[in-house]
Amino acid sequence: MPTSSDSGGRETPALAVQNLVAGYGDFAVVDGVSLEVPVGKVVAVAGPNGAGKSTLLKAMLGIARVMSGKVLLDGQDVTSAPLEKLARLGVGYVPQLDDVFDSLKVLENLEMGGYLCNRVERQRRIERVLQVFPQLQAKLHRYAETLSGGERKMTAIARVLMLDPKILVLDEPTASLTPELSRVVLEEQVRPLSAMGTSVLLVEQKAVAALAIADWAYLLVRGRVEVSAPAAEVLSDPNMREIFLGRAAAEVAARSVDAE
Amino acid sequence: MTGIEFYVVVLLVYLGTDLLAAWGLNLEYGISGVANLAYIVVIAAGAYTYAILSLGPDSGNGGFQLYVVGWQLPFAVAVIAAAAVGALVGVIIGVTGLKRIRQDYQGMVMLVISLMAVTVVGADTGFLNGQAGLSLIPNPFSSLSPAVGDWAYVAMVALACVIGFFVMRRFTGGPMGRALRAMRDDEHAVAAMGFSVIRLRLMSQAVGGAFGGVSGALLAAFIGGWSPGAWAYVETLALLTAIIVGGMGNDMGVSLGTFVIAVLLLQAVQFLPQISSHTGLTEALGWIILGVLTITFLWVRPQGIFKERRPFYRSPGETERSAPGDSATGRVAAPRA
Ligand SMILES: Nc1ncnc2c1ncn2[C@@H]1O[C@H](COP(=O)(O)OP(=O)(O)OP(=O)(O)O)[C@@H](O)[C@H]1O
Ligand SMILES: [Mg+2]
């Protein structure tokens, strides 16, 4: 279980934060969060709008200001390390907003993602991500500015896959995708990545879909971790589900799970 | 050489040096998004560098002007040094823009730098001869007859432009330009790809500065003089107008803008009849027209004559329009023929 109490004999988590207090200026949005992403696991973070989920990710990535606490990458202290250093250490990040380069074509976005590898490898990876998102093939020479919301997200995820990251940090990767494509992205892209050893930290509004592929779930409310539990447990326990999803959403979720 | 011929020579040299400068500034402002309102300072740095390296010791000529260095170096060496100093000054100016402040504040900082630099250089007579400036700056073709020498100078400026054009294209068109444009869109996202934003920024400042340095050197060598009056902050605004009118970030647009604004317009006002009771009015009129043009374009056509890109360009083979709800069909994973 990814809690600090019993981490003694286990392998070092790919990514961990300890008592992180972070925010903007002097204003702490994240208020003492501890969290772990074990190697090859998917960890989902849910929570209401404004809970501080994005801020938590930004603080881990050296974008938001860390006031206290630590960020550990493979056990190494990377608190407030510059983002490019983290990228070189194998962390891939898809921001919630500003997720693609508007002034560049889709293909150029992908090439930017392959900056750290050589030309041959970059070409190989482009072909690979185009197999993942075949509908991007036809848009390769479109400026990202002109893409639909869903195409943008696909481009953003494709771009981060170009990095071949060891650790993937995704801030609502399925926002503006259709429910079906969201499921495909999560189940057919994100999940298999973790099976291949990539560790994933996933912030997601579509909590059911996220929990379905996650190993562990955190609920963040007003900058604090309210619940930390195995994802399967959250999904199967009606009370937990209610807490995670809010009542109305929980009912919908119950129906969709029962229907399967 | 007839008067009109000489006038054409002057215009061409201005055009060439303005082109180099506009390309450099476009790299910083149009491509990388650094509002360098102190760009004229790198041009001045290049001009002064060329001057003091190519002039002999200041004790010559009866010591009527005072300056440092005075090494009498060959033309090419002095120009290359001017490029290097321009790059260095560009980087120093760029450092002030590294702090993540809003672009408009950044512009203000740069403007202040520009004003300070003129004041400081103008105040100290021992350094670069103060307000009076430097004169007798050597022209590389002074041994030729004026007719041949002037055209030789034009040819050399043209050559510098050709080289400059190819260098610029490397930075605006290739992977580097891509990275710079991406940085303008979003610094964090570029960093997330493994780029060092600081390195990218300073690199664009260095390259932009080198362009300015060469531009200044070629200008000073042609005019033969250089003083604080030649590099007031408004000169940057003329280049900026050229970029905005032509089309920020678009190489062709910037070149056209330079031709129309920096050369044609500023020359055209010289031909307006002088009003003897208001000397300097025509020159002021040039600046007024520039200002009005900038404002008009920012209001009516902020992308300039040439847009940076064609946003609605479709990929070859892309159908008119993807079927609505295309991505909802669930067949997303099936590769399309
Ligand atoms: N750049 C910023 N400067 C100041 N405050 C900010 C900034 N970005 C976010 N905030 C504030 O921090 C709080 C948390 O924002 P955050 O983006 O982390 O929420 P979130 O949990 O990701 O929400 P959502 O689900 O809507 O994406 C909000 O109150 C927000 O207004
Ligand atoms: Mg968010």
Side-chain angles (χ1 to χ4, degrees), chain A residues 88 102-103 111 138 142 145-146, chain B residues 178 185 194 309 311 315 318:
Chain A
R88 285 164 193 270
D102 280 331
S103 339
E111 284 169 351
R142 277 272 285 274
E145 190 179 57
T146 70
Chain B
R178 216 174 285 158
D185 283 354
R309 53 187 186 276
S315 310
E318 188 181 351

Side-chain angles (χ1 to χ4, degrees), chain A residues 117-190:
Chain A
C117 52
N118 66 40
R119 186 193 291 256
V120 178
E121 175 64 12
R122 193 177 307 144
Q123 198 50 43
R124 207 179 60 75
R125 288 187 192 176
I126 288 177
E127 279 157 26
R128 202 180 58 195
V129 299
L130 285 179
Q131 277 167 9
V132 175
F133 296 109
Q135 50 275 77
L136 287 182
Q137 182 82 53
K139 315 274 179 194
L140 281 180
H141 297 279
R142 277 272 285 274
Y143 284 98
E145 190 179 57
T146 70
L147 296 176
S148 77
E151 291 160 353
R152 281 180 78 91
K153 274 295 168 200
M154 284 186 241
T155 306
I157 298 170
R159 190 182 71 188
V160 80
L161 293 182
M162 289 290 297
L163 278 167
D164 209 1
K166 282 194 307 192
I167 300 169
L168 200 49
V169 178
L170 303 172
D171 197 346
E172 305 204 13
T174 69
S176 70
L177 295 185
T178 62
E180 176 58 18
L181 191 57
S182 305
R183 192 192 59 75
V184 168
V185 164
L186 292 176
E187 288 182 11
E188 294 178 17
Q189 309 314 327
V190 178

Side-chain angles (χ1 to χ4, degrees), chain A residues 23-25 27 29-30 47-56 58 96 171-172 203 205 220:
Chain A
Y24 308 95
F27 176 56
V29 174
V30 173
N49 289 120
K53 306 181 295 295
S54 298
T55 307
L56 171 64
K58 287 188 211 161
Q96 181 175 7
D171 197 346
E172 305 204 13
V203 164
Q205 292 285 356
L220 200 67

